[in-house]
Amino acid sequence: DTAVSQTPKYLVTQMGNDKSIKCEQNLGHDTMYWYKQDSKKFLKIMFSYNNKELIINETVPNRFSPKSPDKAHLNLHINSLELGDSAVYFCASSPTGKNSPLHFGNGTRLTVT
Amino acid sequence: GNSVTQMEGPVTLSEEAFLTINCTYTATGYPSLFWYVQYPGEGLQLLLKATKADDKGSNKGFEATYRKETTSFHLEKGSVQVSDSAVYFCALLFGNTDKLIFGTGTRLQVFP
């Protein structure tokens, strides 16, 4: 009974392709996130959604489009993949409320060749 | 802007050694502070947190105290184990946002 689950765990694809990463949480949280971790382990927020509504949209190329069909799911679609998109992408969720810690998925390692 | 600075790793220790991983922050206001741990091949897990000045967060033998005067939240453990080998992230969060800001992470390697 994984709390935050992402699929796939590994994704290898060629430049120019379009791919999606799925995320689901069964914690009943209202807020979900996508973070990107680069090769140096640096973590940066990309998006957050609260009850299907976009709350945070950092400076991310518009090739990246999050979609939240319901508050338990937040998918990430990436168009026209580039070499620089290679990274580990983490989904996370948190309950509404101040200072709530995030619960992370195990990550999706995307490799663009 | 708001940011978190951590000491660069890797930190390499023998089992049972004392651990300190430094973390300082820059923030306009009074954020909550967190330490997350990332074991190999896994996502981040919350290790401990502190929500106001002088609070001490603790978990699994790790401790960190929120020091407003030095804007620091250093992570300490009295006796590390091989199983503590991981990457540790310091982070801050303002209660009126959902944006958790991470430091660059510090890799800890513990040898028997």
Side-chain angles (χ1 to χ4, degrees):
Chain A
D1 44 341
T2 305
V4 181
S5 59
Q6 300 177 224
T7 54
K9 184 167 181 164
Y10 300 97
L11 184 54
V12 181
T13 188
Q14 292 184 327
M15 283 174 54
N17 285 348
D18 304 338
K19 290 294 178 185
S20 293
I21 307 172
K22 295 185 176 181
C23 178
E24 176 182 6
Q25 55 96 3
N26 62 5
L27 296 166
H29 291 166
D30 294 321
T31 306
M32 295 185 72
Y33 311 77
W34 279 108
Y35 277 80
K36 179 180 180 180
Q37 186 175 45
D38 63 23
S39 59
K40 295 184 178 179
K41 296 290 189 183
F42 184 66
L43 269 161
K44 192 163 190 297
I45 191 168
M46 300 173 69
F47 303 102
S48 83
Y49 270 71
N50 183 280
N51 273 318
K52 303 192 295 175
E53 181 182 344
L54 181 65
I55 301 298
I56 294 173
N57 185 350
E58 290 293 288
T59 307
V60 175
N62 57 16
R63 298 182 294 103
F64 289 79
S65 53
K67 286 192 171 43
S68 182
D70 55 61
K71 76 172 194 177
H73 295 84
L74 180 62
N75 303 323
L76 183 65
H77 188 75
I78 316 170
N79 289 327
S80 303
L81 278 155
E82 300 177 358
L83 292 176
D85 297 332
S86 296
V88 181
Y89 292 85
F90 285 100
C91 178
S93 71
S94 70
T96 302
K98 293 185 178 183
N99 310 316
S100 302
L102 272 62
H103 296 253
F104 283 83
N106 285 340
T108 296
R109 181 176 294 278
L110 171 65
T111 303
V112 182
T113 61
Chain B
N2 303 315
S3 65
V4 177
T5 303
Q6 288 182 236
M7 60 190 289
E8 282 201 33
V11 173
T12 304
L13 294 172
S14 297
E15 208 165 23
E16 299 184 3
F18 184 85
L19 168 71
T20 301
I21 299 178
N22 289 341
C23 170
T24 57
Y25 66 90
T26 302
T28 51
Y30 303 105
S32 294
L33 301 173
F34 302 83
W35 277 100
Y36 280 80
V37 58
Q38 184 179 25
Y39 298 102
E42 297 183 12
L44 280 75
Q45 303 172 26
L46 177 68
L47 181 59
L48 53 84
K49 72 174 188 178
T51 58
K52 61 183 188 298
D54 300 325
D55 267 2
K56 179 187 280 189
S58 61
N59 185 26
K60 300 181 182 179
F62 291 90
E63 292 183 340
T65 302
Y66 190 140
R67 302 278 188 209
K68 190 175 72 172
E69 62 277 11
T70 54
T71 61
S72 66
F73 193 54
H74 304 320
L75 182 68
E76 296 182 337
K77 187 174 184 182
S79 175
V80 293
Q81 305 300 312
V82 173
S83 57
D84 293 327
S85 298
V87 181
Y88 292 81
F89 292 89
C90 186
L92 67 82
L93 175 71
F94 283 97
N96 60 347
T97 75
D98 288 321
K99 190 173 167 182
L100 192 62
I101 297 172
F102 286 94
T104 52
T106 302
R107 182 179 298 279
L108 170 65
Q109 297 174 324
V110 181
F111 294 96

